[in-house]
Amino acid sequence: IRELTSVVQKRFEFESGSVELYAEKVADRGLCAQAQAESLKYKLLGGLAVRRACYGVLRYVMENGAKGCEVIVSGKLRAQRAKSMKFKEGYMIKSGQAADEYVTKAIRHVLMRQGVLGIKVAIMLPHDPTGKRGPKTLLSDTVEVLEPKEDIIPRQPAPPQAAPVQPAAVPQVPVQQAPQPPVPQPMAPPQPMQ
């Protein structure tokens, strides 16, 4: 913290002693992308295998109640040729207003012996009405299914209704039938020639 304070003082040219920085513990480490990116960075620097480290972070994030998580590690993984590995779990939104509100992202660079690795961590937060663990606003495509209301059956019989009005009698018109076509007679078999 002392180092950060001196950096801020020099950068913004404050007088010495006029800047004080306080550090607060992260409330939910499992839902903080920056904390998880740093954790992954130190796991990789410690010599842990990339796949194992990434799956460990993924599992920890999902156990802490996240809706989804995505970890991308790119660079020289083991071989000389650079490649990118992507690890995903759960539900992740990529576009729209909801992506800005629900997804926290972090990027870190790890200086390994053979070159630099890039780490990207994206965590989709859960909905929280209090706004502490995640955003207050609901996702725009959330559908709430309500229970059907119970039918109220009346206890006493319905009041007698007036007699229904008889419709006016319609005169019956005799329907003429169309003449039937004659039924064809079966043909006699041909007579043999003599």
Side-chain angles (χ1 to χ4, degrees), residues 182-188:
V183 179
Q185 295 293 323
M187 287 179 65

Side-chain angles (χ1 to χ4, degrees), residues 104-144:
T104 60
K105 293 180 182 177
I107 296 173
R108 291 289 180 273
H109 301 96
V110 190
L111 279 78
M112 305 290 277
R113 251 203 336 262
Q114 68 266 45
V116 180
L117 290 184
I119 295 173
K120 288 181 188 175
V121 177
I123 298 173
M124 173 116 172
L125 302 171
H127 167 68
D128 183 15
T130 59
K132 289 179 182 173
R133 298 191 78 223
K136 281 183 182 180
T137 53
L138 270 167
L139 282 169
S140 53
D141 59 352
T142 304
V143 177
E144 190 180 342

Side-chain angles (χ1 to χ4, degrees), residues 9 12-19:
Q9 273 178 357
F12 298 105
E13 297 173 4
F14 289 121
E15 295 171 23
S16 60
S18 64
V19 177

Side-chain angles (χ1 to χ4, degrees):
I1 290 174
R2 241 181 271 129
E3 193 180 321
L4 283 172
T5 310
S6 64
V7 167
V8 169
Q9 273 178 357
K10 287 174 187 170
R11 168 71 181 80
F12 298 105
E13 297 173 4
F14 289 121
E15 295 171 23
S16 60
S18 64
V19 177
E20 282 187 39
L21 295 182
Y22 295 99
E24 193 181 331
K25 198 177 178 203
V26 178
D28 253 324
R29 262 188 62 228
L31 298 179
C32 177
Q34 270 123 0
Q36 292 310 311
E38 286 291 334
S39 156
L40 184 56
K41 176 180 175 178
Y42 288 111
K43 280 181 181 178
L44 293 174
L45 284 170
L48 196 64
V50 175
R51 210 165 279 202
R52 189 164 182 194
C54 290
Y55 278 124
V57 166
L58 216 60
R59 196 177 70 244
Y60 181 73
V61 169
M62 294 307 286
E63 281 171 1
N64 273 276
K67 270 194 171 178
C69 180
E70 183 179 78
V71 178
I72 301 170
V73 179
S74 53
K76 287 189 195 172
L77 311 168
R78 296 263 177 230
Q80 192 62 29
R81 178 83 174 186
K83 64 176 178 175
S84 176
M85 293 173 94
K86 193 183 272 193
F87 303 89
K88 287 183 186 178
E89 196 172 329
Y91 179 55
M92 178 68 66
I93 281 183
K94 298 284 187 175
S95 63
Q97 174 69 23
D100 296 341
E101 290 177 14
Y102 273 83
V103 181
T104 60
K105 293 180 182 177
I107 296 173
R108 291 289 180 273
H109 301 96
V110 190
L111 279 78
M112 305 290 277
R113 251 203 336 262
Q114 68 266 45
V116 180
L117 290 184
I119 295 173
K120 288 181 188 175
V121 177
I123 298 173
M124 173 116 172
L125 302 171
H127 167 68
D128 183 15
T130 59
K132 289 179 182 173
R133 298 191 78 223
K136 281 183 182 180
T137 53
L138 270 167
L139 282 169
S140 53
D141 59 352
T142 304
V143 177
E144 190 180 342
V145 179
L146 301 173
E147 288 294 318
K149 292 180 182 176
E150 288 187 23
D151 293 336
I152 300 166
I153 302 166
R155 302 241 169 147
Q156 66 243 14
Q161 294 179 346
V165 179
Q166 291 289 332
V170 179
Q172 292 289 328
V173 178
V175 180
Q176 291 184 348
Q177 288 187 340
Q180 297 244 337
V183 179
Q185 295 293 323
M187 287 179 65
Q191 295 289 326
M193 292 190 74
Q194 293 188 2

